[in-house]
């Protein structure tokens, strides 16, 4: 029995079958390895808003609800540790590690005044995050 190719020549036929799910997974992997998460990726590093109640831990003051922001999400840069070369017999830090974290990039100082018993007022301050970015961890 002889094998025939579609071209009429003896030989073997190689049939390539692509799997859409596998292609999607490979695309996601290459996206993460390339160090770029798109602007539409819901898991990317970004600012999230939340409401928080501010109360004084000791004095009896009226509470206030304030809008805060936090940075949350993934940074697509790969974390790594590279060995360091030394000409000394003692290696204090044998590796140089690099990683990226979702951190506040810009923020501004805000203050809120709480009215306390006896008519006194106490000011609470906090940083309101304006933008987040992936920055090298320290």
């Amino acid at each position: 029995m002889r094998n025939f190719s579609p071209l009429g020549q003896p030989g073997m036929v190689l049939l390539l079958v692509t799997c859409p799910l596998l292609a999607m997974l490979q695309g996601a992997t290459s996206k993460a390895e390339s160090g770029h998460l798109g602007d539409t990726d819901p898991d990317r590093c970004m600012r999230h808003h939340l409401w928080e109640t501010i109360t004084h831990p000791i004095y009896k003051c009226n509470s206030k609800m304030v809008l805060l922001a936090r940075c949350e999400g993934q940074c697509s840069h790969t974390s790594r540790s590279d060995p360091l070369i030394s000409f000394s017999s003692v290696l204090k830090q044998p590796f140089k590690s690099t990683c990226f974290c979702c951190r506040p990039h810009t923020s501004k100082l805000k203050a809120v005044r709480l009215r306390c018993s006896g008519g006194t007022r106490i000011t609470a301050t906090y940083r309101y995050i304006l933008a987040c970015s992936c920055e090298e961890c320290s």
Side-chain angles (χ1 to χ4, degrees):
M1 180 173 182
R2 293 174 55 181
N3 292 330
F4 288 96
S5 73
L7 300 174
Q9 301 292 329
M12 299 198 61
V13 175
L14 178 62
L15 179 62
L16 295 175
V17 178
T18 59
C19 174
L21 181 58
L22 182 59
M24 284 187 341
L25 290 174
Q26 287 173 337
T29 302
S30 64
K31 176 176 70 170
E33 288 172 352
S34 69
H36 176 69
L37 288 175
D39 289 342
T40 59
D41 191 328
D43 295 330
R44 74 186 186 281
C45 174
M46 60 188 289
R47 180 176 65 160
H48 295 268
H49 292 98
L50 64 141
W51 286 97
E52 186 73 32
T53 303
I54 296 181
T55 57
H56 196 280
I58 299 172
Y59 301 113
K60 295 183 191 264
C61 303
N62 292 337
S63 300
K64 279 202 176 172
M65 294 280 290
V66 294
L67 181 65
L68 299 177
R70 70 172 176 239
C71 293
E72 184 178 341
Q74 298 177 1
C75 295
S76 61
H77 301 281
T78 303
S79 297
R80 60 190 258 186
S81 291
D82 293 321
L84 294 177
I85 307 298
S86 174
F87 292 99
S88 170
S89 60
V90 177
L91 283 172
K92 292 182 181 177
Q93 290 185 332
F95 301 100
K96 179 183 183 276
S97 298
T98 306
C99 64
F100 290 85
C101 305
C102 183
R103 292 186 165 173
H105 182 66
T106 54
S107 65
K108 67 179 178 180
L109 186 65
K110 284 192 151 193
V112 72
R113 293 188 62 138
L114 302 177
R115 186 182 307 246
C116 304
S117 59
T120 60
R121 293 180 184 246
I122 295 179
T123 302
T125 58
Y126 61 96
R127 301 292 308 184
Y128 180 78
I129 299 170
L130 300 171
C132 301
S133 66
C134 291
E135 298 176 8
E136 193 167 349
C137 302
S138 54

